[in-house]
Amino acid sequence: MSIMTDTPRSITNRTRPGEREDIEAPSEHLTTGNVNSAQGSLSDLPPNGIIYIDWEEEDPRHPANYTRARKWAITLTACVLTAMASAIAGTYSMGYPSMMRDLNCTMFQATLGLSAYPLGSAIFPLILAPLSEEFGRQPLYIGATILMAAMHLGIALANNIQSVIVFRFLLGAAGSTGSTMVGGTIADIWAPYERGIPMAVFSITGMSCMGLGPVFAGWVEMNHRLEWRWIQWIHLITTGAFFVVMLFVLKETRASILLVRIVKKLRKETGDNRYRARIEDKQDSVFSLISISCKRPIRLLLTEPVVTSFSLWIGFAWGLVYVLIESVSPAFQQLHHFNVGEVGTVFVTMFIGSLLGYISNALVQEKLYDKNFKTKGHEARLYSSCFAGILLPASMFIYAWTSSANVFWVGMTVGIILFMWSVFIIFSAYFPSLNISYGPYASSALAGQSLCRNLMGMAFPLFATQMYNRLTFKWANMVFACIAVLMMPIPFVLFKWGPQIRARSKFAKVVPSFGL
């Protein structure tokens, strides 16, 4: 019995010599194996009579075999969602003055809305991987975009701060799709050696747009006919436009889901129920997968030194990003008498810092990795992280000592630029480091890091205002700089003793040569 033309063909991994395919990307990316039962006679069938269908090389329906134009269309569209989710995080605080007046709320209550966003982003990713495995990526993208639009509408029409806080939490849950799913989409369609530029685009959109969003939001807030509600209306209009484009461009990219669809179609057309995809034989239910997805990241976060140290470092840096979002406005208004529009423009420094991070990674880190991989292994990816370990506290010291009315305001912007440069480098390093170190548990390790990072992003703004009021901008930032100094050894320790630390981990031991 021969298979009809709808039978998929197998696909092989494409990697550079000396590289290995990621065992598991943070997105739970599936790579199917080769199956030899695609064209056999009935006498060749196994006793249970099941005919397993799998991909074959160069099948144009497999996402990895899409044309480059289609791959880039999907990548850029997904990165737009990342940019939107990042901008949402930063634009909210620019509307504080008019929102506090209209809703008769306190500064602390308004800040709760800022913190609610990373809280939603911390919790929801724990169930994203199981849901994408069961239903695919496209339904989650569609559902998240609809939820984002609905929450923007709810905030724009809200009559009390309690509604705003709830809507911001749900908005964070929807926006987390842009930060956690896009990396998986890139892994679906690009071979490992091709992912450098797409991942760089993803990283820079995620980091830089946190700064670009407030640039427009500040001037919207300054217009008395627009103010905070129109910040949300503009987000709603943008989300609606994106939704239309997404429906045409951002199709399903998860190979296992597409394979199941093809096999179901084959069974329907032939009336032969023996055709199956191997993934259909899995026994775990969605609820079981969600349970594992919630428990394992926390276990890795609490018991694995590499995950714990990276998560604390990144979490601290991410908390400081939200402190900047919270404090830049009062700092520049009180010290240098900026208006709201001018304060929004200051946030362009976050974009400049992210751009410097991208350039330094492309021109320096990648060359160091290629040059030293044979001797240092994958620890060669941490050269720039060691630089960031020094740059992070240095930037906070600069920001602290220039936070004075007697110092020209450009000094503070230099501190912000250097800070965002260091944060971008840290974020660019953690993904490959944890992915390489933990192989099949990489998704859980990254989920644990994301949980820690966003919980700190939630917590830091809640005490930042009180801290600045009591200690002044200068000394409060000095405290943060000193904490950054205490964390400075983390990348150096991982660079020098990373293999020995992973050798003691029962999770990292499942990766060949402990990830090297």
Side-chain angles (χ1 to χ4, degrees), residues 126 289-301 444:
L126 294 176
L289 292 172
I290 290 176
S291 176
I292 295 173
S293 184
C294 291
K295 294 176 182 177
R296 187 180 289 159
I298 297 175
R299 182 181 178 187
L300 285 165
L301 180 62
S444 297

Side-chain angles (χ1 to χ4, degrees), residues 365-394:
Q365 171 56 50
E366 288 303 314
K367 291 182 179 179
L368 288 173
Y369 176 76
D370 292 338
K371 179 180 179 181
N372 297 288
F373 174 76
K374 291 183 179 180
T375 57
K376 292 292 184 181
H378 288 289
E379 266 60 41
R381 289 199 177 277
L382 297 180
Y383 281 106
S384 61
S385 295
C386 295
F387 171 67
I390 300 172
L391 185 61
L392 179 62

Side-chain angles (χ1 to χ4, degrees), residues 190-331:
W190 297 96
Y193 67 89
E194 298 175 314
R195 293 174 193 164
I197 296 178
M199 285 302 297
V201 173
F202 166 54
S203 298
I204 198 168
T205 53
M207 294 296 297
S208 64
C209 287
M210 290 190 72
L212 293 181
V215 173
F216 91 83
W219 295 105
V220 172
E221 168 66 14
M222 196 171 175
N223 189 323
H224 297 299
R225 291 176 295 181
L226 301 176
E227 298 185 328
W228 72 278
R229 294 188 188 274
W230 262 98
I231 294 175
Q232 304 303 319
W233 286 120
I234 292 172
H235 278 309
L236 177 59
I237 294 169
T238 304
T239 305
F242 169 78
F243 182 76
V244 174
V245 175
M246 179 190 66
L247 290 177
F248 290 98
V249 179
L250 205 54
K251 302 297 184 180
E252 183 58 56
T253 60
R254 195 176 181 94
S256 58
I257 297 297
L258 293 173
L259 182 63
V260 170
R261 290 178 183 174
I262 293 174
V263 172
K264 286 181 177 178
K265 181 181 178 182
L266 184 61
R267 287 199 295 260
K268 182 178 179 181
E269 290 181 347
T270 63
D272 192 339
N273 291 326
R274 293 175 298 172
Y275 294 118
R276 292 184 65 82
R278 289 190 180 275
I279 194 172
E280 294 181 286
D281 293 339
K282 67 177 184 178
Q283 301 297 319
D284 294 331
S285 66
V286 177
F287 296 104
S288 174
L289 292 172
I290 290 176
S291 176
I292 295 173
S293 184
C294 291
K295 294 176 182 177
R296 187 180 289 159
I298 297 175
R299 182 181 178 187
L300 285 165
L301 180 62
L302 297 178
T303 62
E304 288 293 312
V306 174
V307 180
T308 302
S309 57
F310 246 124
S311 298
L312 288 175
W313 192 35
I314 295 171
F316 174 71
W318 194 240
L320 290 183
V321 170
Y322 275 86
V323 166
L324 285 179
I325 293 173
E326 175 78 4
S327 67
V328 163
S329 183

Side-chain angles (χ1 to χ4, degrees), residues 49-92:
I50 297 176
I51 307 174
Y52 285 110
I53 305 299
D54 212 330
W55 299 103
E56 281 190 358
E57 192 172 1
E58 305 304 327
D59 191 313
R61 292 166 296 183
H62 194 291
N65 292 326
Y66 290 165
T67 64
R68 291 189 67 85
R70 186 176 181 184
K71 288 181 180 181
W72 273 114
I74 293 172
T75 300
L76 294 177
T77 303
C79 286
V80 169
L81 179 61
T82 303
M84 290 167 50
S86 298
I88 292 168
T91 56
Y92 171 80

Side-chain angles (χ1 to χ4, degrees), residues 14 53 80 180 194 253 365 377 379 407 409 420 436 484 495:
R14 295 168 295 171
I53 305 299
V80 169
T180 57
E194 298 175 314
T253 60
Q365 171 56 50
E379 266 60 41
V407 180
W409 60 267
M420 289 304 299
I436 291 165
F495 179 81

